[in-house]
């Protein structure tokens, strides 16, 4: 047991020394303004790198992710039908589908699904 402890400490010390020496040797000594600026084919950038994005596109993406996760939750319902009580399975799946439809109606009613304004 003692030899495992000694070997693990030896491995830990060697790896720490290698990381220490690697961090010392890999430091860039000259930090230049031109080197730290974004590179665009040798020219100064024409536009800012912080461009605004469409909020509508972001909302559509979030809605897609939410419904994608919901589909991943619906798929196991097919496999669990043979292992569970039919009445319980039907009520559970209907409640889940009802919640999804209410959410879809709310998003449609709020105008989140309209791409063009």
């Amino acid at each position: 047991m003692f030899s495992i402890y000694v070997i693990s400490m030896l491995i830990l010390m060697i790896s720490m020394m290698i990381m220490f020496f690697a961090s010392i040797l890999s430091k860039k000594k000259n930090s230049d303004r031109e080197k730290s600026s974004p590179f665009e084919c040798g020219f100064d950038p024409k536009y800012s790198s912080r461009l605004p994005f469409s909020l509508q596109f972001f909302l559509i993406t979030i809605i897609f992710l939410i419904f994608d996760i919901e589909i991943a939750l619906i798929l196991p319902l097919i496999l669990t039908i043979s292992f569970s009580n039919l009445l319980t399975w039907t009520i559970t799946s209907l409640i889940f589908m009802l919640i999804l439809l209410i959410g879809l109606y709310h998003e449609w009613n709020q105008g989140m699904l309209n791409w063009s304004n």
Side-chain angles (χ1 to χ4, degrees), residues 20-106:
F20 176 72
F21 287 126
S23 67
I24 288 175
L25 294 175
S26 68
K27 294 278 186 187
K28 292 183 179 179
K29 301 296 181 195
N30 299 332
S31 63
D32 191 11
R33 180 176 174 261
E34 288 297 321
K35 286 184 181 180
S36 62
S37 67
F39 181 73
E40 186 176 317
C41 301
F43 300 106
D44 290 331
K46 292 183 180 180
Y47 304 107
S48 173
S49 62
R50 303 280 184 195
L51 296 176
F53 62 94
S54 172
L55 186 61
Q56 189 71 25
F57 180 74
F58 178 73
L59 290 175
I60 293 290
T61 306
I62 296 298
I63 291 169
F64 170 76
L65 287 174
I66 290 171
F67 278 105
D68 192 37
I69 291 170
E70 290 167 352
I71 288 173
L73 292 173
I74 289 173
L75 287 176
L77 281 176
I78 299 168
L79 297 175
T80 60
I81 191 169
S82 61
F83 300 117
S84 61
N85 184 5
L86 187 61
L87 180 65
T88 307
W89 183 87
T90 305
I91 291 172
T92 305
S93 60
L94 284 176
I95 290 173
F96 188 70
M97 295 293 176
L98 183 67
I99 291 171
L100 291 181
L101 288 174
I102 290 171
L104 180 64
Y105 174 74
H106 177 70

